[in-house]
């Protein structure tokens, strides 16, 4: 079997009204998605998406003509290309989609088949008043979710703690609340300082008192000692990070030094599916959790889901959802049907071979910009 071409469709959905993502200093007036298709000489086509694939034209020739099933070879080749500036992990997702289709099995089965569904958490985006955040929490709970992640802005921590306290009060002790401080990495051009370690320690302690399930990215990635300090300070709350940690070496040294409770590398942004599985297996051997970031689009979400379900990750899986600003329809605008959770708040691995992606080709044509 041979790869005969790898094509990219660049899509853009205008967002009106815009999304005010807490981690982005600029409101988002559009949402971009690049779809990767691996075309083979046997008529099987693999689909992936996630990162932008900017610069891929210069390295396409490293893959065309190769056997798509030689996954480890391709992972190593993607890593050599990434060193020079790209993050071409959506290609690996498309290759796994080919492998699954050839095997006539869901990719999660090839990754170990540990679970067929995972409890989802509604991963919110916007900073809202306590009352508005409670309204969204009720909507989310009524849709079946048993967990929600709330953003706290470094410049408005009192407002953030008030929102968490209000949701805890309104929904009670059974509803799991995660908090994301988004301090480990930055959008381009965001040069503001992270909160200092003392302020972060005080904040995490208060969140622990509100029975927060995990606190995510409380510090810059470089501050391993600070992460360990937070864990030692707060035995009642988990510390999570790693969504955009691009080097396996760094992730493995986090494991060696026991820096985190929860490891979150996104398989279409950070280290790819094959490497994430290795990390997940090692984390689980050490009794630490693996549950990947999935904040891209429905295709990227599915790639992460197959890895997480395959290796038995969890206990919750990220489902980007913050109505009305961020909905499954916006997030998955290129899919025939948006990825949904079931009435129990779980996200099920599609039973179809491969990643189970079904594109809406009309939408792909309509929203294509390149
Ligand atoms: Mg995050």
């Amino acid at each position: 079997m041979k790869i005969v071409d790898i094509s990219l469709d660049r899509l853009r959905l205008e967002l009106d009204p815009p999304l005010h993502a807490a981690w982005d200093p600029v409101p988002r007036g559009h949402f971009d998605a690049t779809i990767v298709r691996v075309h083979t000489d046997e008529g099987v086509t693999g689909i992936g998406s996630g990162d932008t694939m900017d610069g891929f034209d210069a390295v396409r020739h490293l893959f065309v003509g190769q056997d798509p099933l030689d996954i480890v070879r391709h992972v190593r080749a993607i890593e050599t290309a990434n060193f020079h500036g790209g993050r071409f992990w959506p290609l690996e997702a498309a290759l796994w989609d080919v492998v699954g289709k050839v095997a006539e099995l869901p990719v999660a089965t090839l990754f170990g088949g540990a679970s067929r569904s995972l409890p989802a958490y509604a991963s919110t985006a916007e900073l809202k008043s306590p009352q508005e955040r409670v309204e969204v929490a009720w909507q989310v709970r009524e849709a079946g979710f048993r967990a929600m992640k709330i953003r706290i802005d470094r410049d408005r921590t009192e407002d953030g703690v008030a929102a968490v306290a209000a949701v805890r009060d309104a929904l009670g002790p059974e509803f799991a609340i995660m908090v994301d401080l988004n301090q480990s990495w930055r959008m381009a051009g965001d040069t503001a300082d992270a909160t200092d370690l003392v302020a972060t320690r005080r904040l995490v302690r208060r969140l622990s008192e509100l029975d927060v399930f995990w606190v995510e990215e409380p510090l810059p990635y470089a501050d391993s000692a600070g992460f360990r300090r937070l864990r030692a300070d707060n035995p009642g709350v988990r510390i999570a990070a790693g969504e955009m940690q691009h080097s396996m070496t760094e992730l493995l040294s986090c494991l060696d030094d026991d820096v985190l409770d929860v490891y979150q590398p996104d398989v279409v942004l950070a280290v790819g599916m094959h490497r994430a599985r290795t990390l997940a297996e090692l984390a689980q051997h050490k009794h630490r959790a693996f549950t990947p970031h999935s904040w891209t689009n429905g295709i990227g979400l599915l790639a992460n889901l197959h890895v997480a379900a395959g290796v038995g990750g969890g206990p919750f899986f990220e489902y980007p959802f913050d109505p009305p600003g961020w909905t499954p329809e916006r997030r998955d605008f290129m899919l025939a049907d948006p990825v949904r959770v079931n009435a129990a708040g779980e996200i099920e691995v599609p039973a179809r071979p491969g990643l189970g992606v079904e594109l809406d080709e009309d939408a792909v044509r309509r929203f294509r910009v390149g």
Side-chain angles (χ1 to χ4, degrees), residues 149 151 180 182 185 216-217 243 264 293 318:
K149 187 162 83 188
R151 311 279 166 175
D180 197 341
N182 287 110
W185 60 276
E216 182 169 326
E217 307 222 309
E243 61 192 33
Q264 305 176 293
H293 175 267
E318 181 169 41

Side-chain angles (χ1 to χ4, degrees), residues 92-330:
E92 190 200 352
L95 290 163
W96 276 111
D97 192 36
V98 171
V99 176
K101 284 170 175 166
V102 169
E104 299 184 352
L105 290 168
V107 172
T109 304
L110 304 174
F111 272 64
S115 47
R116 297 190 195 292
S117 66
L118 289 172
Y121 69 89
S123 182
T124 65
E126 299 190 309
L127 303 172
K128 291 185 188 285
S129 71
Q131 191 191 340
E132 290 171 321
R133 186 44 71 208
V134 167
E135 280 166 21
V136 174
W138 278 122
Q139 251 180 288
V140 156
R141 182 69 192 84
E142 275 155 28
F145 292 88
R146 293 165 193 284
M148 183 172 89
K149 187 162 83 188
I150 298 172
R151 311 279 166 175
I152 293 186
D153 183 81
R154 57 184 172 264
D155 297 324
R156 295 168 55 190
T157 56
E158 286 307 315
D159 295 349
V161 172
V164 173
V167 172
R168 172 59 70 227
D169 256 11
L171 277 87
E174 300 300 317
F175 191 71
I177 301 172
M178 297 80 159
V179 168
D180 197 341
L181 302 182
N182 287 110
Q183 298 218 78
S184 291
W185 60 276
R186 292 296 170 79
M187 299 300 288
D190 178 2
T191 59
D193 288 335
T195 54
D196 71 15
L197 184 56
V198 170
T200 308
R201 288 173 73 188
R202 289 165 65 101
L203 175 58
V204 174
R205 177 160 300 183
R206 292 174 70 193
L207 295 172
S208 178
E209 285 162 4
L210 293 168
D211 197 20
V212 162
F213 191 82
W214 78 52
V215 178
E216 182 169 326
E217 307 222 309
L219 294 167
Y221 284 141
D223 192 0
S224 301
F227 275 98
R228 283 201 302 275
R229 188 71 185 256
L230 290 178
R231 293 185 63 216
D233 280 352
N234 300 285
V237 66
R238 296 157 190 84
I239 300 294
E243 61 192 33
M244 290 285 263
Q245 221 152 8
H246 297 127
S247 133
M248 271 302 274
T249 311
E250 282 173 64
L251 284 163
L252 291 173
S253 51
C254 285
L255 261 184
D256 281 346
D257 298 339
D258 201 16
V259 171
L260 301 171
D261 298 286
V262 182
Y263 289 80
Q264 305 176 293
D266 189 312
V267 307
V268 291
L269 300 175
V271 291
M273 297 172 70
H274 175 75
R275 299 293 191 210
R277 170 167 62 177
T278 301
L279 179 83
E281 298 272 349
L282 293 172
Q284 289 170 337
H285 269 296
K286 292 195 164 200
H287 198 222
R288 301 291 177 258
F290 167 79
T291 181
H293 175 267
S294 76
W295 193 284
T296 52
N297 57 52
I299 302 169
L301 186 156
L302 287 172
N304 278 290
L305 177 66
H306 280 275
V307 177
V311 301
F316 294 101
F317 183 83
E318 181 169 41
Y319 184 90
F321 184 43
D322 196 7
W326 203 238
T327 58
E329 289 73 18
R330 278 187 161 188

